[in-house]
Amino acid sequence: MKSDFSLFSDEEQIIAQGKALLAADAETVPADSFRGLLSGYAKLYRQSTRLVKMGDRMQGQLNSLNEQLTKSEEKYRRLFEGGVQGVYRSTLEGRLLDINPAMARIFGYDSAEEMLIMVRDMGKGLFLSRDHYNAFVVVLRQQGVLKDHPLELRRRNGDMVHVEVHAQDLYSDSEETHVVEALVVDVTDKQRMLKELEALARTDCLTRIWNRRYFFELGQREVARARRNGSPLTLIFFDVDHFKRINDTHGHDAGDSVLKEIAVLVREHLRQLDIFGRMGGEEFAVLLPETDLDRAEQVAEKLRQAIAHHDVVLGQTRINCTASFGLALFENESEGLDCLLCAADQAMYSAKSNGRNSIHTSTQIK
């Protein structure tokens, strides 16, 4: 195809020829000249038609692209404005450039506009301190992209909010600076739920003390520490006397109430470092770190008396019960927590054999 300049030159030549023919003195225009002029105009017409069609196609494509761009922008805007996850753009220094409404809601602001006005500096307005923000930026600059990055940030009212951030460090040609684009997911409820599930997995559902599995997990740590440091460690194992009779006489609900109240009583007489767990049924165990046998016997006697002197009141019914206790001292050459628990269990059965509501100390762990 000829260039635009070439086409205009041909047109100018043909126009000049036409003017010359019209200005001729001859009574008639020579046929060859007229045919040449007509052929030139026909050629220009064809070229013009092609250019017009090409222009129409280009305009149609441009209109289609503009329409697609408009739809994409509308779709992005709907996602940006209506999403449940926070979105923000900021400078590396922490100045917010743009946020969506969800970002404002997560941090307790009424609107995105309000948050942009009030939070001038993310290091002061969202992060716990400028140092925390700087540490976040260092990691982002090192990795370029962060996925599921956990952060503890601050809401408008000062409450902490746990979030996971998907962020990337970009270079903006228009602003000639680095910008951060990030997606913020509020996982506060998720964290709380995980902690609750973790607590449920560790505690006995009836008495709310440690269950057997977690008692062993904590107990094995104490055994390892006692073996390493040579510090005394004693285990108390006790069982509620005639518990089956309580269930048969008053019902299983009454039996559950007895176990719950015994757990509360015992916990009130223990130190924070003591480990108290339900081994199953009416059996309980207490591990006493940094405690020798003499001191453990004093603790067991306090627990025995507390249980024996306590009545469980259920409506018009008062239930009094007792417990039998077995004690065992851990020594470095012993086999471990299982051996210690077995010795205390055997001592407890000796207490039951001696009339119940008593304490017996094992001599098997040496």
Side-chain angles (χ1 to χ4, degrees):
M1 178 183 290
K2 293 184 179 181
S3 65
D4 292 344
F5 179 79
S6 163
L7 291 174
F8 290 141
S9 298
D10 289 345
E11 187 178 51
E12 290 173 356
Q13 292 177 6
I14 293 172
I15 291 173
Q17 292 174 12
K19 288 182 178 180
L21 290 173
L22 292 175
D25 293 335
E27 294 180 358
T28 59
V29 176
D32 291 341
S33 298
F34 183 76
R35 280 195 297 271
L37 183 63
L38 184 60
S39 175
Y41 268 109
K43 182 179 179 181
L44 286 176
Y45 174 77
R46 290 193 299 272
Q47 291 174 336
S48 299
T49 301
R50 286 197 297 269
L51 289 173
V52 169
K53 291 180 179 179
M54 185 183 299
D56 288 343
R57 286 197 300 270
M58 292 178 65
Q59 186 61 50
Q61 292 174 353
L62 182 60
N63 291 340
S64 177
L65 289 173
N66 285 334
E67 183 178 352
Q68 293 177 22
L69 180 61
T70 300
K71 290 181 179 179
S72 296
E73 289 178 345
E74 291 175 352
K75 182 179 179 180
Y76 168 77
R77 180 52 57 179
R78 287 196 300 270
L79 291 173
F80 185 80
E81 297 290 344
V84 297
Q85 298 173 340
V87 180
Y88 77 83
R89 293 178 69 250
S90 74
T91 65
L92 277 177
E93 293 72 28
R95 180 172 60 86
L96 286 173
L97 301 174
D98 194 14
I99 65 170
N100 70 339
M103 180 77 173
R105 288 194 298 271
I106 288 174
F107 292 97
Y109 293 89
D110 294 332
S111 67
E113 293 76 15
E114 181 186 45
M115 184 172 177
L116 286 171
I117 292 173
M118 298 190 66
V119 180
R120 299 288 186 178
D121 183 348
M122 294 176 64
K124 296 180 180 178
L126 296 182
F127 283 73
L128 303 184
S129 69
R130 166 55 61 175
D131 289 341
H132 283 86
Y133 179 76
N134 291 340
F136 166 72
V137 171
V138 168
V139 176
L140 178 60
R141 294 301 303 273
Q142 289 174 346
Q143 300 185 19
V145 176
L146 296 178
K147 295 182 179 179
D148 301 324
H149 185 74
L151 287 174
E152 188 178 33
L153 302 179
R154 183 172 51 223
R155 286 196 170 103
R156 181 181 184 179
N157 62 3
D159 291 345
M160 295 297 102
V161 54
H162 295 274
V163 301
E164 289 179 353
V165 176
H166 309 260
Q168 55 183 340
D169 173 21
L170 301 174
Y171 185 78
S172 173
D173 292 333
S174 60
E175 299 177 21
E176 296 184 351
T177 184
H178 283 267
V179 296
V180 177
E181 291 186 351
L183 181 72
V184 179
V185 182
D186 184 353
V187 295
T188 304
D189 290 339
K190 174 184 174 183
Q191 292 285 343
R192 181 167 53 249
M193 186 180 301
L194 288 175
K195 289 182 179 179
E196 290 175 355
L197 290 174
E198 183 178 340
L200 288 174
R202 293 177 171 180
T203 57
D204 174 62
C205 60
L206 176 66
T207 60
R208 298 303 178 185
I209 62 176
W210 300 133
N211 59 25
R212 180 184 180 89
R213 182 190 64 80
Y214 195 58
F215 177 88
F216 268 85
E217 181 179 333
L218 295 177
Q220 287 167 351
R221 296 178 193 172
E222 289 300 326
V223 166
R225 190 169 69 88
R227 182 179 288 116
R228 184 173 60 252
N229 299 336
S231 55
L233 178 67
T234 310
L235 190 140
I236 299 175
F237 194 92
F238 69 93
D239 178 279
V240 180
D241 296 329
H242 301 299
F243 187 71
K244 184 177 183 301
R245 184 187 301 171
I246 295 174
N247 279 333
D248 292 343
T249 304
H250 303 286
H252 288 279
D253 289 343
D256 289 347
S257 296
V258 167
L259 295 179
K260 287 190 288 187
E261 292 200 23
I262 285 177
V264 172
L265 276 175
V266 171
R267 190 158 43 190
E268 289 176 350
H269 288 80
L270 298 178
R271 302 167 300 178
Q272 188 172 359
L273 59 85
D274 296 331
I275 301 171
F276 180 33
R278 183 183 179 194
M279 296 295 99
E282 66 273 24
E283 295 179 337
F284 298 85
V286 180
L287 196 61
L288 304 174
E290 307 289 341
T291 306
D292 58 21
L293 269 179
D294 289 339
R295 176 57 185 160
E297 289 174 350
Q298 295 175 18
V299 173
E301 178 60 21
K302 286 183 179 180
L303 299 182
R304 187 195 66 77
Q305 291 186 26
I307 295 172
H309 295 158
H310 179 78
D311 289 341
V312 178
V313 179
L314 300 172
Q316 301 299 317
T317 303
R318 302 179 72 89
I319 302 174
N320 180 261
C321 59
T322 61
S324 299
F325 292 77
L327 275 67
L329 175 67
F330 171 78
E331 295 185 353
N332 292 341
E333 60 269 26
S334 65
E335 297 179 7
L337 183 61
D338 287 339
C339 184
L340 184 65
L341 189 61
C342 181
D345 185 29
Q346 292 176 4
M348 182 268 294
Y349 276 103
S350 296
K352 283 187 176 294
S353 299
N354 292 333
R356 295 184 172 83
N357 190 24
S358 60
I359 301 170
H360 188 80
T361 301
S362 171
T363 57
Q364 296 182 19
I365 304 295
K366 292 296 183 184

